Amino acid sequence: MNLNELKVKLDAMAEEARAELSTLERQDDLVQARNRYLGRKGLVKDLSAELGKLPPEERRLVGQELNQLKDAIEGAYDAQLKRLEERAREAALAQGAADLTLPGRGLPPSGGHPLIQIEEELIAIFRAMGFDVATGPELEADLYNFESLNFPADHPARDMQDTFFVEPLQGREDILLRTHTSPVQVRTMLKFKPPVRIIAPGVVYRHDDDQTHSPMFRQIECLHVDRGVTMAHLKGTLTHFVQRLFGPSTAIRLRPSFFPFTEPSAEVDVQCIFCGGDGCRVCSHSGWLEILGSGMVDPNVYRACGYDMDGITGYAFGLGVERVAMLKLGIPNIRLFYGNDLRFLSQY
Ligand code: PHE
């Protein structure tokens, strides 16, 4: 074949291939046809053999056209394959198959649950003061929830925190749902020597159930143990904390109280954030709102944790996250947090 004959051949083959491929209705036939042109022993290969017989300067010219021919056939093949696949998809949909190519429904933007938002705000305030975050299990051993915290077995102090004991677990009868986050104090001191500065957020369980109490709620524990830590540090930390949370002029007061694991112990009140201390319905006209329990760590707790107490002191406190969130957001009933009602949740 000379140059011109070869060119005519190439054009004719492009035409023929396009016409043939675009009519094939089955994928197998389509693949076969493609291979008949482009396969290792295909028609295009035969033409390339002819190409080799041309003089070099003509060879380059036809070489380009040969490549265009290959592209044209490959293109016709792809286009027809797409058409067949599209047709198969439409047929499947017509028979009721799910359309996997539809875009997903997407999630609307959200600020997160109000309780979690407040918890994160509280954690951020303590982190900024240098506290690390520690955690412990919700299914807790009596040893950590009570015994090491200076609640002896059968002592009436346990009545204050009656709880849900669980069926003997792997042969153990001392497993309960923790009543507070204070066991994380013990777990932390068993692992680390002073100085210790941690907060421990988490879920706890009690048998309380009313407008402001739920049998399952959240606490944040705080523990700071070091040489020379005093009640002044406790008061300073708490003052800074409530002022970051409720505003720079918010006052606190400490009232003597009792916890087995702190001595002395104090209930901490904040000046009522609704009436500024003048007295209103929320604060029962006292001007103060109770927000947490606190105290200096009892030496018996250090003993239970194997601490050498020489010169070591510390404070601890535990606050209820729901309580703080209700005050901060003006929420009257604790149930609203758990109802999953979008009319409530979407306000935050
Ligand atoms: N664990 C106590 C409670 O849940 C609160 C508390 C924590 C008191 C730490 C003193 C020190 O009631």
Side-chain angles (χ1 to χ4, degrees), residues 149 151 160-161 179-183 185 204 206 217 219-222 258-259 261-262 265-266 292-296 315-319:
L149 288 168
F151 292 80
M160 224 164 58
Q161 301 195 357
T179 59
H180 49 181
T181 41
S182 300
Q185 286 187 37
V204 303
R206 301 260 176 104
F217 62 104
Q219 285 190 333
I220 294 182
E221 190 82 7
C222 176
F258 172 79
F259 297 99
F261 41 95
T262 46
S265 304
L292 57 88
S294 69
M296 301 303 292
Y315 62 81
F317 57 86
L319 71 95

Side-chain angles (χ1 to χ4, degrees), residues 84-102:
L84 292 185
E85 285 173 349
E86 181 66 15
R87 209 177 300 160
R89 192 174 78 84
E90 271 162 19
L93 284 180
Q95 287 178 16
D99 184 354
L100 300 181
T101 66
L102 281 178

